[in-house]
Amino acid sequence: MQEIFLKAPPMGWNSWNTFMDGLDEATLREIAVSLKEQGFLEAGYEYFCLDDGWEEKTRRVGCGVDYDRKKFPSGLKSFGDFLHGLGFKFGIYSCAGTLTCGGYPGSYGYEYEDAQKFADWGVDLLKYDNCYVPTDVPGKFLYRRMGQALRETGRPILYSMCNWGFDDSQTWVRSTGAHSYRIGTDSRDTWENVQSVMHVLGKMNLTAFSGANCYADPDFLIAGMNGRGAVSNLGEEIGPNAGYNVYRMQFSLWCMICAPLMMSHDPRYTTPQTAEILLNRELLAVNQDAANIPAFPCRIEKMMEADASKCEVWAKPLSCGDVVVGLFNRKDTPAYLQAGFESMGWLLSDTVDAYDLWAHRPAGVFRGNVTMQVPGRDCVVLRLHRRR
Ligand code: GLA
């Protein structure tokens, strides 16, 4: 029996936000090549994940689920081999209920057959959703069942649980063997979506239940969607796409809280600004840091303006002894944010050198606290090094 032990959050790309269930093998092969050519694979985005919609619409009774032969003419084994040949790992999707969220066959009652098929196709990651689940079986039983089925295949398969934080999942997720677990709603390319998730994250005690081998997952990165992509056309949200400043905020916070980094834009349309965000090596190193301490919110000592509820300061200690501080301003106008060193574990008499992880240059010397002006709907992320 083989197991995975994750020492850093998983990174990759997922098909959902761009294609929803409109998958086709030729396009997906193009996407994989494009990701590799642009250096995403080399930067660590190694899981290439199919979301819902790869399945044949109906399951043949008594059999493991099969793939849609029109969408994947050469088959999923061959598709997986292609991904592996490029150097990617192969991610797939299923659901704990009778149907998936998109109405395709779910794995309920077929967990062991499906897990074996995934292993036979060379799958390295399973995202496991929570629609159409039976009402008489506790969610934790269903997620344990698939976790057990995956382990029994003997193939190391990263298990990515997607029950949106229902049933207090943070209290039992580790009993399922899941390596990551969704804690809320789907991400969307809008400011409303990002700011409401940021607000919720600020109220959760992530450090208590997210860390090595089992990471809380606030859903996909939206950087680079730029209003494009199937989920952008759902019509359920009003307003323009989020924009680069918001993409920077989401990416920064996801890196700081040890979130899985799953890109979701169409990489064939990566702009230089998108690449600058998603390939920010200094922030990727923060996400992948060996200490595995998710950022925690710090008390804001002083604000020059009112409306502190829309401003947050987060701190993430790194294994080398530096501390990364993120100042997030969800207001529309600039704000001065100040956070004292004590909540980060330093003393008010300490002096630190700051380095700006977006401007990629030194950002001054601070004593006792860090104070910066942050533009509206934007963030400043600093790496602080204490003078010893
Ligand atoms: C749910 C999940 C999404 C996506 C869809 C697929 O809504 O939360 O991330 O996987 O199902 O149908």
Side-chain angles (χ1 to χ4, degrees), residues 16 51-52 93 101-102 127 129 131 162 164 182 186 219-220:
W16 184 252
D51 206 283
D52 203 0
Y93 164 99
C101 299
K127 171 176 170 179
D129 218 335
C131 288
C162 177
W164 320 297
R182 281 276 299 277
D186 288 9
D219 205 20
F220 307 132

Side-chain angles (χ1 to χ4, degrees), residues 126-301:
L126 173 68
K127 171 176 170 179
Y128 204 46
D129 218 335
N130 195 46
C131 288
Y132 301 101
V133 286
T135 49
D136 55 342
V137 188
K140 62 177 105 167
F141 290 7
L142 297 175
Y143 280 94
R144 282 181 193 152
R145 199 181 296 171
M146 183 49 92
Q148 190 59 29
L150 291 174
R151 281 188 297 277
E152 288 189 23
T153 66
R155 185 176 171 84
I157 297 179
L158 193 153
Y159 186 24
S160 167
M161 179 167 127
C162 177
N163 89 331
W164 320 297
F166 286 10
D167 309 325
D168 281 330
S169 56
Q170 78 278 5
T171 62
W172 48 265
V173 56
R174 282 177 189 267
S175 73
T176 70
H179 301 94
S180 71
Y181 61 108
R182 281 276 299 277
I183 50 176
T185 181
D186 288 9
S187 70
R188 290 282 186 266
D189 182 13
T190 65
W191 169 230
E192 278 314 312
N193 177 277
V194 173
Q195 74 157 331
S196 68
V197 174
M198 288 181 78
H199 181 70
V200 172
L201 288 171
K203 306 239 169 288
M204 296 176 79
N205 189 4
L206 285 170
T207 35
F209 52 80
S210 183
N213 206 38
C214 189
Y215 297 95
D217 175 9
D219 205 20
F220 307 132
L221 295 168
I222 54 163
M225 287 191 70
N226 287 323
R228 196 187 280 278
V231 296
S232 306
N233 302 322
L234 287 176
E236 66 189 35
E237 272 156 352
I238 310 151
N241 57 283
Y244 291 110
N245 49 327
V246 178
Y247 297 157
R248 237 186 343 262
M249 290 173 91
Q250 195 215 24
F251 182 78
S252 302
L253 189 57
W254 269 223
C255 286
M256 291 189 68
I257 63 172
C258 302
L261 298 181
M262 289 290 170
M263 302 183 291
S264 69
H265 73 301
D266 186 334
R268 296 169 302 175
Y269 301 94
T270 308
T271 63
Q273 293 99 312
T274 297
E276 201 187 306
I277 295 170
L278 293 168
L279 295 173
N280 182 328
R281 302 296 176 125
E282 291 169 323
L283 268 164
L284 290 175
V286 169
N287 176 259
Q288 300 284 299
D289 183 71
N292 270 297
I293 305 174
F296 47 84
C298 298
R299 190 160 64 95
I300 297 180
E301 308 292 336

Side-chain angles (χ1 to χ4, degrees), residues 74-87:
S74 46
L76 283 191
K77 173 78 176 77
S78 146
F79 183 68
D81 289 348
F82 170 77
L83 292 177
H84 289 142
L86 288 175

